[in-house]
């Protein structure tokens, strides 16, 4: 029979105190084995959780770094877009100016050639002149 006195006299050995079960282990030993197994599993789970936590921290740091890089890229892309817009606008103004100058030259040539030859000749005395 199990008593505290028997525990003290037997040195607290559970196999001497409790009768063995059918597989050779008593209930206390079986429970201790299960507790040990659960303890190993829990320690493994804690290690995995700590490892995952470290990986999540690294991932969070990489995400923050990527966010900063994307903001810098957006800023530089906006700056390049503005520079290209100004360059395009300057080219339009230049081409418009060249077109206006070319049109003025062509109109000047047409007006000059339509006004007739102006060589500074005076009409001859025998020729009729138009006008009074």
């Amino acid at each position: 029979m199990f008593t505290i006195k028997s525990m003290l006299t037997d040195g607290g050995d559970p196999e001497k105190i409790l009768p063995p079960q059918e597989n050779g282990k008593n209930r206390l030993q079986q429970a201790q084995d299960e507790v040990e197994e659960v303890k190993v599993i829990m320690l493994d789970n804690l290690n995995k959780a700590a490892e995952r936590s470290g990986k999540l921290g690294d991932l969070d740091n990489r995400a923050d770094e990527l966010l900063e890089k994307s903001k810098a890229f957006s800023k530089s892309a906006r700056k390049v877009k503005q520079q290209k817009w100004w360059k395009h606008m300057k080219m339009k103004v230049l081409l418009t100016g060249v077109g206006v100058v070319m049109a003025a030259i062509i109109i000047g040539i047409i007006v000059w050639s339509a006004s007739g030859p102006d060589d500074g000749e005076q009409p001859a005395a025998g020729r009729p002149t138009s006008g009074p």
Side-chain angles (χ1 to χ4, degrees), residues 10-29:
D10 292 335
D13 190 12
E15 290 186 20
K16 292 181 182 177
I17 299 169
L18 298 173
Q21 295 275 325
E22 51 191 56
N23 65 355
K25 291 184 177 180
N26 60 30
R27 282 190 262 172
L28 182 59
Q29 185 64 38

Side-chain angles (χ1 to χ4, degrees), residues 9-131:
T9 57
D10 292 335
D13 190 12
E15 290 186 20
K16 292 181 182 177
I17 299 169
L18 298 173
Q21 295 275 325
E22 51 191 56
N23 65 355
K25 291 184 177 180
N26 60 30
R27 282 190 262 172
L28 182 59
Q29 185 64 38
Q30 193 175 17
Q32 285 177 339
D33 290 346
E34 288 177 6
V35 166
E36 189 63 33
E37 185 179 330
V38 168
K39 188 170 119 179
V40 168
I41 291 171
M42 289 303 295
L43 286 173
D44 187 44
N45 286 343
L46 286 173
N47 289 338
K48 287 179 181 178
E51 186 178 317
R52 258 186 252 121
S53 175
K55 287 181 181 179
L56 285 175
D58 290 344
L59 187 61
D60 190 37
N61 291 340
R62 287 174 50 198
D64 289 342
E65 184 179 323
L66 191 59
L67 179 63
E68 291 300 317
K69 286 182 180 181
S70 71
K71 286 180 182 178
F73 175 77
S74 179
K75 186 176 179 180
S76 65
R78 211 174 307 124
K79 187 176 179 181
V80 168
K81 180 181 176 184
Q82 191 175 30
Q83 288 174 346
K84 291 293 182 181
W85 184 83
W86 277 111
K87 186 176 180 180
H88 182 70
M89 191 55 65
K90 287 177 186 177
M91 188 60 72
K92 276 185 170 181
V93 169
L94 179 70
L95 289 176
T96 302
V98 168
V100 167
V101 168
M102 293 297 291
I105 290 172
I106 292 172
I107 290 173
I109 291 173
I110 292 173
V111 168
W112 181 73
S113 65
S115 67
D118 190 21
D119 295 337
E121 292 180 18
Q122 295 292 329
R127 286 194 199 158
T129 59
S130 60

